[in-house]
Amino acid sequence: MAKEKNNTGEMSFLDHLEELRWLLVRSSAGILIGAVIAFTFSREIFDDVIFAPLKGDFVTYRIFCDAANKYDLDKSFCVTEIPVTIISRNMDGQFTTDIWTAIVAGIIIAFPYILYQIWKFISPALYEKERKGAVSFITGTSLLFFLGVVFGYYLIMPLSINFLANYKISDIVVNNVDLDSYLSLVKTTVLSCGLAFELPVIIYFLAKMGLVTAAFLRKYRRYALVIILIVAAVVTPPDVVSQMTVTIPLIILYEASILIAARTNKTPKTAE
């Protein structure tokens, strides 16, 4: 059905709502397909991906242990096992967990497709030159998101698990961790890092709208650095190598955001 337009050639409010509805429908369909694929391989996803950081031979632990032995640093990652036992306390706990994990995996798998749908929705409001950047926008944003997911999975998550599993208030207490609690840590860490790596994209749009400037980001750079260092200190062992491994990528993201804001702020603005 053709969309009705007013005398200025613009879509009506109801037409925008219709387009938004179809955006949600198509995005949900993409997530559902991704979830079905993830559910099909759920055993491999749980054993080889989600629960892999609970094994002492996980790649991150081995790399940090080798670095610690080579440079005489903290040996907290040189372990044969993580002192945590995962339990499920609800009758339907494992089945429900399988379903929701498949949905989260579906979101990650379908992320580029969701971006494409969002781009189709906002593209009518963009200039012709900006519309031509669709491929670059989707590719760049997707790449940043997946880099964030990888960063969260291979660095932040194992560092957090190792720290929390070995933190003790008494030898009497045993870490029998509920399945929901463990998966909450995994999902929160991975998705948060994926979204955090979208900072340059977010800054671009905020700068485009005039809400953020490069001068503002430079002014508060020292505060951002302090926050980054605090986060790195909390999730890593007390050695410089581990802390810098987490700190450097986040600082690079912040500095890249400043450059993007500076370049965007220089773009001439129209009266509109």
Side-chain angles (χ1 to χ4, degrees):
M1 181 177 179
K3 304 296 182 184
E4 295 182 3
K5 297 184 178 181
N6 57 25
N7 295 332
T8 62
E10 297 179 350
M11 294 172 59
S12 67
F13 176 72
L14 292 178
D15 287 335
H16 281 297
L17 288 180
E18 178 70 9
E19 288 297 319
L20 179 60
R21 184 176 74 88
W22 278 107
L23 182 153
L24 296 175
V25 169
R26 286 189 287 262
S27 297
S28 299
I31 293 172
L32 180 61
I33 293 172
V36 170
I37 295 173
F39 189 80
T40 303
F41 298 96
S42 62
R43 180 59 65 87
E44 291 79 7
I45 291 175
F46 277 100
D47 289 341
D48 300 332
V49 179
I50 294 177
F51 293 138
L54 292 175
K55 303 173 184 176
D57 61 349
F58 188 62
V59 59
T60 303
Y61 303 144
R62 287 191 280 108
I63 292 174
F64 275 89
C65 183
D66 292 342
N69 290 325
K70 183 175 182 179
Y71 299 105
D72 193 24
L73 301 172
D74 183 80
K75 303 294 192 302
S76 22
F77 281 98
C78 297
V79 295
T80 56
E81 62 178 355
I82 304 297
V84 167
T85 300
I86 304 297
I87 62 173
S88 178
R89 297 182 298 172
N90 299 320
M91 193 61 148
D92 63 342
Q94 296 194 51
F95 176 73
T96 304
T97 296
D98 206 1
I99 295 296
W100 282 108
T101 301
I103 292 174
V104 173
I107 294 174
I108 295 174
I109 294 171
F111 188 77
Y113 178 73
I114 296 172
L115 281 179
Y116 172 68
Q117 295 301 323
I118 294 174
W119 181 267
K120 284 181 62 178
F121 180 73
I122 66 174
S123 60
L126 302 177
Y127 295 108
E128 182 63 28
K129 182 179 179 181
E130 293 171 327
R131 292 195 195 104
K132 294 179 180 179
V135 175
S136 299
F137 169 77
I138 295 172
T139 303
T141 306
S142 299
L143 181 61
L144 285 173
F145 178 76
F146 290 128
L147 283 175
V149 169
V150 170
F151 179 77
Y153 177 75
Y154 283 106
L155 281 176
I156 302 297
M157 195 171 75
L159 293 175
S160 300
I161 289 174
N162 185 68
F163 170 76
L164 295 173
N166 288 284
Y167 186 89
K168 289 185 177 182
I169 57 175
S170 172
D171 290 335
I172 297 176
V173 182
V174 179
N175 286 328
N176 289 327
V177 180
D178 188 70
L179 179 61
D180 287 340
S181 175
Y182 176 77
L183 287 177
S184 176
L185 173 65
V186 173
K187 289 184 288 188
T188 301
T189 301
V190 170
L191 292 179
S192 296
C193 288
L195 295 177
F197 270 57
E198 298 295 337
L199 180 62
V201 179
I202 295 172
I203 292 298
Y204 169 78
F205 283 105
L206 292 177
K208 198 78 173 175
M209 293 184 291
L211 300 177
V212 170
T213 64
F216 174 84
L217 295 176
R218 292 191 185 102
K219 178 181 179 181
Y220 290 97
R221 177 191 276 128
R222 66 184 69 178
Y223 301 106
L225 179 59
V226 170
I227 294 174
I228 291 172
L229 289 173
I230 291 174
V231 171
V234 169
V235 301
T236 60
D239 65 74
V240 177
V241 175
S242 301
Q243 293 175 3
M244 288 300 101
T245 302
V246 174
T247 301
I248 291 175
L250 298 178
I251 292 178
I252 292 174
L253 278 175
Y254 191 83
E255 293 299 325
S257 299
I258 294 177
L259 294 176
I260 289 172
R263 182 174 180 180
T264 306
N265 293 148
K266 289 181 180 179
T267 303
K269 296 182 175 63
T270 62
E272 293 81 7

